[in-house]
Amino acid sequence: MKKDLHPSNYRLVVFKDMSNDYSFITKSCVDTKETITWEDGIEYPVVKLEISHTSHPFYTGKMKLVDTAGRIDKFRSRYNKK
């Protein structure tokens, strides 16, 4: 097996869905500067998500999807001074 093939910072990370405050913990090597205290009292790095399986319309059956990133771009392209 090749040396240094796998990342060295593989650890437990909390992923938090910001649309409904659902959180889950799993192993990851994603870089983040923020931390959160989990239910067990230990502090873990946190990654904030805009959407997860608990808020995605495909999994929930609801067709309401909040577009947080595209609204500003649509506004700027529509009302951009030429």
Side-chain angles (χ1 to χ4, degrees):
M1 185 179 287
K2 292 182 181 179
K3 287 189 161 207
D4 300 326
L5 182 65
H6 297 285
S8 61
N9 62 343
Y10 200 63
R11 72 228 185 268
L12 288 173
V13 178
V14 175
F15 288 86
K16 183 174 183 178
D17 186 349
M18 299 308 291
S19 63
N20 61 2
D21 289 332
Y22 174 76
S23 299
F24 61 94
I25 190 166
T26 188
K27 288 188 173 184
S28 178
C29 60
V30 66
D31 290 329
T32 181
K33 293 182 179 16
E34 297 182 52
T35 59
I36 192 170
T37 303
W38 189 245
E39 299 163 352
D40 59 1
I42 300 174
E43 195 169 301
Y44 295 104
V46 65
V47 175
K48 295 180 179 176
L49 305 172
E50 291 184 23
I51 196 163
S52 72
H53 69 280
T54 59
S55 61
H56 194 279
F58 180 79
Y59 297 106
T60 61
K62 299 176 185 174
M63 295 321 274
K64 180 182 175 189
L65 179 63
V66 178
D67 182 19
T68 58
R71 286 188 280 171
I72 295 172
D73 294 330
K74 288 178 188 175
F75 177 83
R76 287 183 180 161
S77 66
R78 187 179 304 151
Y79 298 107
N80 191 10
K81 293 183 179 180
K82 296 178 183 179

